[in-house]
Amino acid sequence: MKLFSDSLPFYKANFHCHTTESDGKLSPLSVAEFYQRAGYDILSITDHRTVTEINSNQILLIPGIEIDYNLPGQWVHIIGLGMKRTISALWNRSGTPQEGIDLIRSLGGIAVLAHPAWSLNTPDFMSSLTGLSGVEIWNSVSTLPLNADRADSSSLLDVTWASGGELIPVFANDDSHPYKSEAGVAATMVQAEELSFPAVMNALKGGHFYGTTGPLIHQIENRNNQEIIVHCSPAESVIFYSNSPWAPGRSVIKHDITECNYFVQKNERFIRVEVRDSAGKKAWSAPFKV
């Protein structure tokens, strides 16, 4: 089984950023122009608690919003993508995160859990949520110099998945606010039939994407839950993470890796792939069952 099509293109996307319509430093049009110049094909402006609508012929715009909840010991931020109408008037801030996810889905959108490490979300809490279409494994603004170093949520997600949490696809997003060192760092690479709203939403709902801050994952092949083969851009390491704390051969380390494999161990229930290049930049696959 192959995780991606051998024939369809990938499109570069950022599905989390803010403008002057909430707490961002650039206007909506300036944000769209920034990401278009940076080589992105798809953008979602996810201003806090409102859907910001603009027109652009240069980049595909996916309607978005970020809603939030404060729980004891943790915050919960949920991105809504692709809603057919604004949810601002319907969202109940005093409600529960699950109600927010359900509302996004009821309006035709998909729900993504944002920056769980930054938010101090716990594995038990994340495992309780249903209906998510993804989670941010990387959030560019959630590290130095703008935050403590909590951009990478991969270890937290491994604990959640190893404890029985639902295996869901992963996004890498900028969450741009000041448009300084965080902007243009991350991308979610979406494999879709074409660059259109319906095709991109179908791809997101189908989990046909991965997150990256640089490296490219061309293909991941799961051969009968026994051998995993990865094709990628030149890398210095490819790591196969799972529910097992230790497994032989899970870290492939050598110069200019473009293809490598891993043999699944008997106690492993899921695998996710992480690719690192010579600059230390990473790409993350979704976790998949084995």
Side-chain angles (χ1 to χ4, degrees):
M1 179 188 71
K2 294 182 178 180
L3 269 63
F4 300 112
S5 167
D6 287 328
S7 59
L8 294 180
F10 282 96
Y11 298 101
K12 186 177 182 179
N14 178 47
F15 290 110
H16 190 177
C17 64
H18 300 275
T19 76
T20 49
E21 294 297 305
S22 61
D23 58 348
K25 299 300 183 182
L26 295 181
S27 69
L29 185 57
S30 294
V31 169
E33 291 174 345
F34 172 88
Y35 277 99
Q36 186 274 326
R37 289 195 304 269
Y40 287 72
D41 305 296
I42 306 165
L43 176 68
S44 185
I45 293 173
T46 53
D47 279 317
H48 294 283
R49 306 162 199 160
T50 187
V51 176
T52 298
E53 298 182 355
I54 63 170
N55 294 317
S56 173
N57 296 323
Q58 304 300 317
I59 192 168
L60 178 65
L61 294 166
I62 304 294
I65 193 172
E66 185 173 10
I67 57 177
D68 58 278
Y69 304 85
N70 290 347
L71 303 183
Q74 60 184 314
W75 291 358
V76 182
H77 287 205
I78 299 169
I79 299 168
L81 300 174
M83 290 80 58
K84 295 180 180 179
R85 57 191 177 97
T86 182
I87 71 170
S88 301
L90 301 175
W91 170 56
N92 177 14
R93 190 177 184 184
S94 299
T96 67
Q98 186 61 58
E99 290 172 345
I101 294 169
D102 295 341
L103 175 60
I104 290 168
R105 288 168 57 88
S106 73
L107 298 176
I110 66 167
V112 179
L113 183 65
H115 43 64
W118 181 87
S119 298
L120 300 178
N121 296 148
T122 66
D124 285 346
F125 167 74
M126 288 190 285
S127 295
S128 73
L129 299 175
T130 61
L132 287 171
S133 293
V135 59
E136 285 184 343
I137 199 167
W138 174 269
N139 180 279
S140 298
V141 82
S142 298
T143 189
L144 307 174
L146 300 167
N147 273 288
D149 191 8
R150 290 183 180 148
D152 190 335
S153 294
S154 56
S155 293
L156 175 62
L157 293 173
D158 283 342
V159 174
T160 302
W161 294 326
S163 302
E166 182 182 1
L167 301 179
I168 56 177
V170 297
F171 288 74
N173 291 323
D174 282 341
D175 194 2
S176 302
H177 288 71
Y179 295 89
K180 294 182 178 179
S181 60
E182 87 291 351
V185 170
T188 299
M189 302 301 293
V190 182
Q191 189 174 56
E193 292 185 356
E194 62 181 18
L195 189 59
S196 68
F197 176 83
V200 169
M201 288 302 297
N202 285 338
L204 294 179
K205 291 176 181 179
H208 305 308
F209 57 90
Y210 67 90
T212 185
T213 57
L216 301 178
I217 299 175
H218 302 310
Q219 186 58 270
I220 299 175
E221 185 176 357
N222 178 0
R223 292 187 175 176
N224 300 316
N225 293 333
Q226 297 178 353
E227 182 183 15
I228 310 299
I229 301 174
V230 174
H231 297 268
C232 59
S233 59
E236 299 299 299
S237 67
V238 177
I239 306 171
F240 298 83
Y241 289 87
S242 73
N243 57 288
S244 176
W246 181 85
R250 72 176 353 157
S251 299
V252 180
I253 303 173
K254 59 182 180 180
H255 184 57
D256 278 350
I257 304 166
T258 57
E259 180 180 348
C260 65
N261 67 334
Y262 171 72
F263 292 98
V264 179
Q265 304 301 298
K266 291 183 179 179
N267 62 331
E268 290 180 313
R269 301 191 308 272
F270 75 85
I271 299 289
R272 72 169 178 88
V273 175
E274 182 178 288
V275 177
R276 300 185 189 184
D277 67 13
S278 59
K281 297 180 179 181
K282 302 178 183 180
W284 304 264
S285 81
F288 52 92
K289 291 182 180 180
V290 291

